[in-house]
Amino acid sequence: MERMAIHKALGGTSAGELICLKGWVRTLRTGKDVAFFALNDGSCFASLQVVVTPQLPNYEELVKIGTGACLSVQGVLVESPAAGQRWEVQAQKVEVLGDADSDYPLQKKRHSLEFLRSIAHLRPRSNTFGAVFRLRSALSFAIHRFFHERGFLYVHTPIITANDCEGAGEMFRVTTLDSENPPRNSGNIDWSQDFFGERTGLTVSGQLQGELFATAFSDIYTFGPTFRAENSNTSRHAAEFWMIEPEMAFADLEDDCRLAEDFLRYLVTYTLQHCGEDLAFFNERVEKGLLDKLQALAKARFETMTYSEAVSRLQASGESFQFPVAWGRDLQSEHERYLTEKVVGGPVFVTDYPVGIKAFYMRLNNDERTVAAMDLLVPRVGEIIGGSQREERLPVLQRRMEESGIAPESLWWYLDTRRWGSCPHAGFGLGFERLLMYLTGMENIRDVIPFPRTPGNARF
């Protein structure tokens, strides 16, 4: 008999139907001549109760299995007399596919997130992480669906690169050279003898390559892993994370903001419509008021203010911020939250940042003091999306690279797009894990990544 997923058994079958289920035992209760298994296969948040009686030839074996055991169950779906559940299965045949030793760490009690991180190979079986990773999967699909519906081309940009998009130098090196005795030239490592013939690392962004494709396909997006060798142990940083980076030809900063608003609203709405059971769990157990927050964002009006206006409002607020506010300094999370929660009361785009705190590829405004950049700020979090109109003028881009300490010849292929058919274009980046933290209420980025990579930790 073909296996039926538990979410289908709970929602799309009728009483009296003979079904086959396979999954893992969450809990086991025994009574007089009866045993109850809560079986879960990960297809939904809920478990399905399986009723086992001594009529089964292996009943005595079954009542001794451990929590976490894997079972195959054939039985009849019936309405449950117990409160809190509509259906249960009267078992006719139960096969133990894999028993679990008594030291199985996921027993029926609440475990701390710190403890669950230490058993990342088992934590997907817990309620919390089952909900997190179902939502992560659903959102991945929604991202592709959003761009597909709008005619964007999906581009796989390289994971190994010789270029540092952000210019920060925080890249993991990729090399086949002997670390104890690398070849040298005038005392320096001779990277020409490395596998790729030059110094390479793991990418921090697919943006530059994405821009190349935008000059051929107009609207494109990338969605893949990125890496940053930043020795940070905060709850918002990881060494490996996923980025969504759309790029649009023939677009300016206003177009960029409009796409970012549509994108975020679409994803929030999709989550509310398709992940209700898991969101209800997060709302109850992780962040009280999460559903209200998401519903408000889905309907909110997105405001816009310039960086200069934002600084003026912060300085006039009378608030005592931990980090002083001054024109030319980057906004901190406390400033961004104040703008969204106290000044605007909702999401806001902050635009036109000082040239000194933004990347070389952002388009220089006519005042030559600011660039056509934007950050989308949301309540409770602050920045969630960052983007800009790109600098399409070759002489200006070359000058900005030199001012940023980037040798123009190192990105000759990037500059070629400004020589041959240059066009206005814009794009943004959204950290997938930051989005998941916002949608689930989880406070640590390690808890929305299946196997987090952080300083000192690359287990599993």
Side-chain angles (χ1 to χ4, degrees):
M1 181 183 297
E2 184 177 350
R3 180 183 74 90
M4 177 181 288
I6 287 178
H7 82 275
K8 185 176 180 181
L10 289 170
T13 53
S14 56
E17 184 173 352
L18 183 65
I19 61 174
C20 175
L21 304 171
K22 295 180 181 180
W24 294 268
V25 175
R26 287 287 179 86
T27 60
L28 166 63
R29 293 185 295 113
T30 57
K32 184 177 181 181
D33 294 332
V34 68
F36 304 94
F37 298 96
L39 199 69
N40 187 280
D41 65 358
S43 63
C44 61
F45 184 85
S47 297
L48 186 57
Q49 179 166 280
V50 177
V51 182
V52 177
T53 63
Q55 279 68 41
L56 296 180
N58 58 342
Y59 178 78
E60 294 300 326
E61 173 195 355
L62 294 176
V63 296
K64 296 177 183 178
I65 66 170
T67 302
C70 184
L71 303 182
S72 174
V73 177
Q74 290 184 25
V76 178
L77 191 71
V78 299
E79 292 190 11
S80 176
Q85 58 189 27
R86 182 183 177 189
W87 302 104
E88 65 184 26
V89 175
Q90 297 285 349
Q92 296 181 347
K93 179 181 179 182
V94 178
E95 180 184 359
V96 180
L97 301 179
D99 201 354
D101 293 341
S102 59
D103 59 352
Y104 179 65
L106 290 176
Q107 299 298 324
K108 189 180 178 182
K109 63 178 181 178
R110 295 191 70 172
H111 300 285
S112 71
L113 297 179
E114 291 80 4
F115 169 73
L116 291 172
R117 285 180 212 134
S118 72
I119 54 168
H121 56 310
L122 295 174
R123 70 175 182 169
R125 301 189 195 181
S126 68
N127 286 334
T128 299
F129 289 98
V132 166
F133 297 128
R134 275 189 299 271
L135 193 143
R136 183 178 178 118
S137 174
L139 261 291
S140 297
F141 171 78
I143 287 164
H144 289 297
R145 178 174 164 179
F146 173 86
F147 289 114
H148 178 75
E149 290 175 352
R150 285 155 181 77
F152 279 66
L153 182 82
Y154 179 33
V155 180
H156 297 130
T157 52
I159 290 176
I160 299 174
T161 179
N163 308 107
D164 179 3
C165 175
E166 301 298 329
E170 297 169 339
M171 298 178 69
F172 289 101
R173 288 294 153 208
V174 175
T175 180
T176 58
L177 297 180
D178 183 349
S179 60
E180 297 183 0
N181 187 31
R184 295 186 177 275
N185 185 0
S186 301
N188 298 316
I189 294 177
D190 185 1
W191 295 104
S192 67
Q193 296 189 44
D194 205 353
F195 185 90
F196 293 105
E198 59 184 320
R199 189 172 182 174
T200 56
L202 299 179
T203 184
V204 300
S205 170
Q207 178 200 313
L208 300 187
Q209 291 87 352
E211 286 188 55
L212 307 187
F213 267 70
T215 63
F217 295 94
S218 297
D219 297 331
I220 68 95
Y221 73 104
T222 75
F223 180 19
T226 52
F227 309 84
R228 190 157 298 176
E230 183 179 7
N231 191 16
S232 174
N233 283 289
T234 75
S235 62
R236 291 169 59 86
H237 292 88
E240 179 181 327
F241 52 97
W242 284 63
M243 287 284 291
I244 307 108
E245 296 179 292
E247 199 73 32
M248 299 178 291
F250 319 114
D252 59 16
L253 187 62
E254 183 178 346
D255 298 319
D256 205 30
C257 292
R258 188 181 305 116
L259 180 69
E261 176 179 343
D262 291 346
F263 185 47
L264 184 59
R265 197 189 304 275
Y266 180 96
L267 296 180
V268 171
T269 302
Y270 185 93
T271 305
L272 289 167
Q273 292 175 347
H274 296 274
C275 305
E277 190 179 32
D278 292 322
L279 283 180
F281 170 81
F282 293 128
N283 187 70
E284 178 184 351
R285 296 290 186 91
V286 179
E287 181 186 335
K288 299 292 185 182
L290 174 70
L291 285 171
D292 291 339
K293 177 187 78 173
L294 297 182
Q295 288 163 355
L297 183 63
K299 301 173 183 177
R301 179 184 176 187
F302 286 51
E303 303 284 347
T304 300
M305 70 174 68
T306 66
Y307 166 89
S308 297
E309 181 183 356
V311 169
S312 296
R313 291 198 177 194
L314 290 167
Q315 290 176 331
S317 68
E319 287 287 317
S320 178
F321 295 111
Q322 179 182 355
F323 296 93
V325 179
W327 200 97
R329 294 181 181 176
D330 212 351
L331 299 180
Q332 303 296 319
S333 293
E334 59 175 337
H335 309 143
E336 295 170 343
R337 290 194 58 178
Y338 185 87
L339 291 170
T340 59
E341 297 167 17
K342 304 294 184 181
V343 176
V344 174
V348 58
F349 286 101
V350 176
T351 66
D352 303 304
Y353 281 80
V355 65
I357 60 174
K358 290 296 182 180
F360 72 92
Y361 51 74
M362 298 185 177
R363 194 181 199 277
L364 192 64
N365 287 330
N366 292 336
D367 61 12
E368 298 211 346
R369 298 178 67 236
T370 60
V371 291
M374 65 82 169
D375 285 338
L376 175 55
L377 316 181
V378 294
R380 302 195 191 189
V381 172
E383 179 195 347
I384 197 166
I385 290 177
S388 73
Q389 184 174 344
R390 315 310 190 190
E391 183 56 76
E392 85 280 10
R393 298 164 295 183
L394 178 60
V396 179
L397 181 58
Q398 289 173 319
R399 174 160 58 92
R400 290 284 295 117
M401 292 175 71
E402 291 169 352
E403 291 171 351
S404 301
I406 299 173
E409 59 271 15
S410 68
L411 289 173
W412 59 268
W413 48 269
Y414 183 68
L415 294 175
D416 274 355
T417 60
R418 273 64 171 179
R419 293 188 176 95
W420 302 317
S422 185
C423 66
H425 58 289
F428 62 77
L430 169 60
F432 189 37
E433 284 76 19
R434 296 280 180 90
L435 173 67
L436 287 166
M437 290 170 68
Y438 185 75
L439 294 176
T440 62
M442 302 295 283
E443 295 184 346
N444 197 310
I445 195 170
R446 296 167 176 82
D447 297 326
V448 293
I449 301 176
F451 303 103
R453 299 294 182 249
T454 54
N457 177 40
R459 285 178 294 170
F460 309 107

